[in-house]
Amino acid sequence: MSINAAAPSGQLKWVDLRSSTVKREAGKVSSPEVTGSSTAEFAALLQQAAVQPLTTGSSSRSSLTSLPDASSMDTLLWQQLGGAAEAKDNISGEITATVPTDYEELIQTASAKYGVPVDLIKAVIDTESSFNPNVVSSAGAKGLMQLMDGTANGLGVSDPFDPAQSIDGGVRYLSYQLKRYDGQEKMALAAYNAGPGRVNKLGVSNDAELMANLSALPKETQAYIAKIERARAQYAV
């Protein structure tokens, strides 16, 4: 998510597009169809990025900048990338029992599919949208997991307001970041919020180094990591 300078530090302004005052007209909010060729290209580039070692400076600017409509690596990666590959291995610790939510089956399914702990998924959804599937941030992020349009398109999410699509796409994207940073959760969360380009520019390789350089990240991202940790503690059993 991008930072809205007009909003208070660490806060995003949400709008419910399905409220009584703001109605989505059929056919006007749907994302462009993702073709097979573009999905394959997204997947290939994402796989390449995931295996490249972390670097700093100009060397961190990989072939990801060649993606259509991507102006620079500073643009949030989730506005540039998607992919069809699935993460089948558990990435970040054991999947634990958690406090149930209204989207329990969808979350459990995505957790098993992509190897991301259930409590972490719930914490991200809680922090991103407070489990409201219809919200839109001031930056344009939509749905339960607050996907930007470019990210949603690349992930094959045609309706970011659909809980099933949002959870599957958001958890898959989070799993990409966990793999990218070798399971370092804080680094993955910072990348989910601010973009991998900003995380890579710090030149850090683990969560401890990230936290030592946290002030170099946007204030929204600094607060985001702490919010996720607090929310996760509420859902873990």
Side-chain angles (χ1 to χ4, degrees), residues 34-172:
V34 180
T35 65
S37 59
S38 64
T39 298
E41 179 184 2
F42 281 139
L45 289 169
L46 186 59
Q47 289 298 323
Q48 177 182 350
V51 299
Q52 287 178 337
L54 298 181
T55 55
T56 58
S58 60
S59 62
S60 67
R61 297 177 181 271
S62 68
S63 60
L64 300 177
T65 57
S66 65
L67 279 170
D69 301 324
S71 58
S72 73
M73 192 62 181
D74 293 335
T75 302
L76 295 188
L77 188 63
W78 68 357
Q79 293 177 323
Q80 304 172 24
L81 293 179
E86 294 182 359
K88 297 181 180 180
D89 299 326
N90 194 32
I91 298 169
S92 180
E94 296 297 325
I95 299 174
T96 60
T98 58
V99 176
T101 71
D102 291 339
Y103 303 100
E104 196 67 20
E105 183 176 352
L106 296 175
I107 292 171
Q108 293 286 346
T109 298
S111 174
K113 186 176 181 180
Y114 299 116
V116 179
V118 172
D119 57 337
L120 180 58
I121 297 172
K122 292 179 179 180
V124 170
I125 297 175
D126 191 335
T127 302
E128 292 285 357
S129 65
S130 297
F131 284 89
N132 183 342
N134 304 319
V135 297
V136 179
S137 76
S138 57
K142 300 171 182 176
L144 286 173
M145 298 200 72
Q146 291 290 277
L147 298 176
M148 298 293 289
D149 287 342
T151 307
N153 291 343
L155 292 166
V157 175
S158 60
D159 181 5
F161 298 104
D162 174 32
Q165 292 190 51
S166 181
I167 290 173
D168 183 85
V171 174
R172 177 161 27 141

